[in-house]
Amino acid sequence: MGFLLPPFLQLLQGLFGNAEFGVIIVLVHKGECLFDHWNFDFYAENPQIKSPSKKYRDLPVEKRLRSVNVLFSFLNLVAEKNYVGVDFYDGSMMYDFDTDTTTICDIDFFREKTTINDMGENYWGSKRLKAPEEYILNETIDERTNVFTLGAMIFHIFGSFTEEEIKIRYKCRCFLPCSIEQWELDEKAYEVLLKAVALKPEERYQTVKEFQEKWELLYR
């Protein structure tokens, strides 16, 4: 994915190697991963310490909306370069709370589109956010899958979910939006997102750009 070099990515600084080995050098950005699962036990044992995810959710809406703009810009660029996101979730986001900068990382599983789910229900991705086709062997994975993933991520950024609701997703293998009562933004934004996470790909926005255009009618 060395072609992706906008400011919101960990920037490629060097690339060298031989026929057997290759080395990539990247500029490391400051920031905290928004799904640092390796620290979950630590947070459970130290409830006085806020996880990056909780700190992020406490940010003003305007700052989180700017983060969403980064996600749209990134996935649009991925589509323009004829790739599709794979295993893209909130663990692919870093946030610098000092500078309010969102950085994208951990995109090594992305594929040229169109591709298929070649792993069945164990296909890459967070079960909190996966689209239905990401559970079914040989189903098409394309830009509409990324539309779903992005919609689910935005639901997590501005919606509230109980632990029980998240457990149901794991059991049912299906993302479920939060209720409108647990939604921070207005009803129009909620309706825009509902189309993004439609179960059938043909009922979603067909491109990330189309999704973004609808979103930007509400938030520019």
Side-chain angles (χ1 to χ4, degrees), residues 4-191:
L4 295 171
L5 299 176
F8 47 74
L9 278 166
Q10 290 186 317
L11 297 185
L12 182 69
Q13 296 293 293
L15 179 64
F16 61 90
N18 55 36
E20 206 172 345
F21 299 103
V23 176
I24 297 175
I25 302 173
V26 297
L27 174 65
V28 177
H29 283 240
K30 181 183 176 184
E32 299 178 53
C33 177
L34 296 187
F35 193 75
D36 57 335
H37 53 83
W38 52 90
N39 287 324
F40 284 0
D41 288 343
F42 173 77
Y43 299 135
E45 294 167 3
N46 299 274
Q48 75 280 9
I49 297 177
K50 280 188 176 182
S51 68
S53 175
K54 288 184 179 179
K55 289 194 293 183
Y56 181 78
R57 285 299 309 271
D58 288 342
L59 291 173
V61 165
E62 292 76 16
K63 291 185 177 183
R64 283 176 283 148
L65 284 171
R66 288 200 290 271
S67 269
V68 169
N69 289 341
V70 171
L71 298 178
F72 272 116
S73 296
F74 172 63
L75 288 177
N76 267 321
L77 181 59
V78 170
E80 288 171 8
K81 298 299 182 179
N82 206 40
Y83 274 74
V84 62
V86 177
D87 197 27
F88 186 65
Y89 68 118
D90 39 5
S92 305
M93 296 175 65
M94 296 195 309
Y95 195 84
D96 185 336
F97 292 93
D98 294 327
T99 63
D100 292 314
T101 302
T102 302
T103 303
I104 305 298
C105 63
D106 192 21
I107 57 171
D108 48 311
F109 288 138
F110 282 33
R111 300 178 180 181
E112 287 188 89
K113 60 179 182 182
T114 298
T115 187
I116 63 167
N117 177 350
D118 53 5
M119 300 170 64
E121 65 182 47
N122 293 319
Y123 185 77
W124 301 106
S126 169
K127 290 181 179 179
R128 295 172 301 117
L129 306 170
K130 283 169 69 169
E133 60 268 26
E134 293 179 289
Y135 287 101
I136 303 172
L137 186 64
N138 294 324
E139 282 293 294
T140 297
I141 305 295
D142 57 19
E143 193 169 349
R144 298 172 301 178
T145 308
N146 286 173
V147 165
F148 187 103
T149 300
L150 180 53
M153 289 175 71
I154 297 173
F155 263 118
H156 265 272
I157 290 172
F158 298 108
S160 296
F161 298 87
T162 65
E163 289 296 324
E164 187 60 33
E165 287 171 332
I166 291 176
K167 286 179 182 178
I168 290 173
R169 286 188 225 167
Y170 282 87
K171 183 178 180 180
C172 299
R173 299 189 180 96
C174 180
F175 172 80
L176 299 172
C178 65
S179 67
I180 188 67
E181 291 78 18
Q182 298 299 316
W183 175 244
E184 280 189 86
L185 305 181
D186 62 23
E187 188 173 350
K188 290 182 179 178
Y190 188 85
E191 291 172 356

